[in-house]
């Protein structure tokens, strides 16, 4: 079995082919970061139009590199949500049309299921059940993944997602968009400082998190002008890391999950990876991260999720083009 994956949920056009035996055959990614940077955030209409420009050239490259012809594919998987509706529709329409033309099934994939399966692209040893810490630009969730499609939400951010907090804080510090990686690079240049920012909701039981207060705390510190930007960046990163590590530790204990998976764009963050690794080791729990390039949005994780769905018996639901801007992961089994 061999599945083509198409990802267009936000500002990255990702195309890839994954083979059931040989693994990842080819993948391409085009990031629209430069297009949106001048606006300080993603402009949905520009994103949709740019996906239209990029999909087919990237697709040709991927087919060529994999040495696969369209009709030889087992399915075309596309991100059907959650995400920007217009962006989703471009990928979904192209996927549906290609599948129709090639006479193969089209499969609607949940973006977050793609993220949480991404470590499997490099490590076949991972198997259900596991606990997922999903930390992206739009989501911060602790999920008990019992089986493919069987996901229980244990806790989540009640306001900003972790990636969103990174991006907004980076903006406050005058860094570009998206600010997460830039903020992290800046933090690396700071000596361990005397600035300590609050660890939101750590003093309360439960697995929910909150990051908007942290952003406000940063704003206050920035306005006082007492600390250098790199010291603030480091203090912010430490506060986010401590919060996520502690909530994840509690979720492991509460769920009894034997394995930890960390996924989503913020999973590329080095101090967070180190903190989670140390905590998991202390708990005797193996931890899996996708390689950094597959933490952020990409087509490979969508191809893989499509492949897993196909192996589990998924069939083409017909000629409908599916796109949902909002789509809770917990509704996946029923969809
Ligand atoms: O998963 P993703 O590519 O897109 C969504 O589905 O949201 O995640 C993007 C987010 C952005 O907020 C970005 O700033 C953040 O991940 N990010 C990072 C790092 N790399 C990406 N945040 C902190 N440190 C990083 N190294
Ligand atoms: Zn994503």
């Amino acid at each position: 079995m061999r599945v083509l994956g198409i990802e267009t949920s936000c500002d990255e056009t990702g195309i890839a082919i994954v083979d059931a035996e040989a693994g990842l055959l080819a993948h391409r990614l085009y990031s629209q970061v430069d297009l949106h940077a001048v606006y300080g955030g993603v402009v949905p209409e520009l994103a949709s139009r740019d996906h239209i420009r990029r999909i087919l050239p990237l697709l040709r490259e991927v087919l060529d590199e994999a040495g696969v012809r369209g009709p030889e594919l087992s399915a075309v998987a596309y991100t059907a949500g959650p995400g920007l509706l217009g962006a989703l529709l471009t990928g979904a329409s192209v996927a549906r049309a290609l599948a129709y033309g090639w006479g193969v099934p089209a499969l609607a994939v949940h973006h977050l299921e793609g993220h949480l399966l991404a470590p499997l692209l490099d490590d076949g040893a991972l198997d259900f059940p596991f606990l997922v810490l999903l930390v992206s630009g739009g989501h911060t969730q602790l999920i008990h993944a019992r089986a493919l499609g069987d996901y229980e939400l244990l806790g989540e951010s009640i306001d900003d997602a972790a990636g969103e907090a990174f991006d907004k804080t980076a903006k406050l510090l005058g860094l570009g968009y998206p600010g997460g990686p830039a903020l992290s690079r800046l933090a690396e240049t700071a000596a361990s400082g005397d600035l300590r920012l609050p660890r939101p909701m750590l003093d309360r039981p439960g697995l929910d998190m909150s990051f908007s207060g942290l952003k406000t705390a940063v704003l206050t510190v920035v306005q006082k002008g007492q600390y250098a930007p790199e010291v603030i960046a480091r203090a912010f990163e430490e506060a986010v890391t401590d919060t996520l590590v502690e909530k994840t530790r509690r979720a492991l204990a509460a769920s009894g999950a034997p394995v930890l998976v960390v996924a989503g764009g913020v999973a590329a963050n080095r101090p967070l990876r180190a903190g989670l690794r140390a905590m998991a080791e202390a708990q005797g729990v193996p931890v899996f991260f996708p390689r950094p390039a597959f933490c952020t949005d990409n087509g490979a994780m969508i191809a893989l999720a499509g492949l897993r769905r196909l192996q589990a018996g998924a069939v083409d639901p017909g000629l409908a083009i599916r796109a949902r801007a909002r789509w809770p992961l917990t509704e996946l089994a029923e969809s």
Side-chain angles (χ1 to χ4, degrees):
M1 277 189 197
R2 220 162 243 202
V3 175
L4 172 76
I6 299 183
E7 155 63 34
T8 63
S9 68
C10 189
D11 60 346
E12 255 118 22
T13 317
I15 312 275
I17 297 177
V18 170
D19 181 277
E21 269 84 51
L24 185 62
L25 297 186
H27 73 102
R28 288 287 186 282
L29 186 79
Y30 179 83
S31 170
Q32 304 176 355
V33 162
D34 295 343
L35 178 69
H36 303 290
V38 283
Y39 303 100
V42 177
V43 182
E45 183 58 24
L46 293 182
S48 312
R49 291 180 196 196
D50 210 46
H51 285 308
I52 292 171
R53 273 193 288 271
R54 308 293 168 188
I55 292 181
L56 292 179
L58 291 179
L59 173 70
R60 283 193 194 99
E61 288 180 28
V62 165
L63 288 171
D64 281 352
E65 188 178 317
V68 174
R69 293 184 326 111
E72 293 166 359
L73 290 163
S74 315
V76 178
Y78 63 93
T79 305
L84 302 170
L85 194 57
L88 289 166
L89 275 170
T90 59
S93 316
V94 171
R96 182 68 267 178
L98 289 172
Y100 183 72
W102 290 335
V104 304
L107 301 175
V109 166
H110 194 291
H111 182 77
L112 301 183
E113 183 167 77
H115 272 303
L116 66 86
L117 293 177
L120 274 164
L121 287 163
D122 290 313
D123 206 326
L126 172 62
D127 200 4
F128 293 101
F130 49 80
L131 178 80
V132 189
L133 171 65
L134 183 70
V135 272
S136 72
H139 296 84
T140 298
Q141 298 184 330
L142 284 159
I143 298 154
H144 191 186
R146 292 199 179 83
L148 189 73
D150 183 357
Y151 307 122
E152 185 191 355
L153 182 65
L154 302 178
E156 65 182 331
S157 173
I158 57 168
D159 41 53
D160 293 352
E164 193 181 354
F166 263 97
D167 295 339
K168 287 178 175 171
T169 302
K171 212 172 195 174
L172 287 174
L173 295 174
L175 305 171
Y177 176 85
L183 186 148
S184 190
R185 279 194 299 275
L186 181 65
E188 274 176 22
T189 67
S192 180
D194 49 356
L195 175 62
R196 186 184 162 85
L197 292 168
R199 270 72 174 147
M201 295 180 72
L202 271 198
D203 51 346
R204 278 188 247 168
L207 298 172
D208 283 341
M209 294 157 266
S210 159
F211 293 105
S212 72
L214 190 52
K215 176 191 62 197
T216 313
V218 168
L219 179 62
T220 312
V221 175
V222 168
Q223 281 169 343
K224 282 191 186 149
Q226 254 177 305
Y227 292 95
E230 64 271 21
V231 173
I232 302 173
R234 181 168 172 144
F236 169 82
E237 194 171 57
E238 283 172 356
V240 173
T241 298
D242 279 3
T243 306
L244 291 172
V245 169
E246 173 56 17
K247 291 285 179 174
T248 306
R249 190 191 63 74
R250 288 183 200 172
L252 279 172
S255 64
V259 174
L260 173 62
V261 164
V262 189
V266 185
N269 183 270
R270 269 202 256 157
L272 179 63
R273 285 170 95 99
L276 288 165
R277 205 179 284 284
M279 180 275 292
E281 243 166 55
Q283 307 292 313
V285 169
V287 56
F288 292 82
F289 297 91
R291 67 172 98 155
F294 292 152
C295 285
T296 44
D297 294 348
N298 64 84
M301 67 184 195
I302 302 305
L304 179 71
L307 175 66
R308 287 295 173 123
R309 287 272 161 183
L310 197 64
Q311 287 171 328
V315 289
D316 192 329
L319 286 182
I321 293 169
R322 299 187 42 201
R324 280 181 71 175
R326 296 178 63 82
W327 186 7
L329 191 58
T330 43
E331 280 178 21
L332 198 48
E334 306 134 46
S335 60

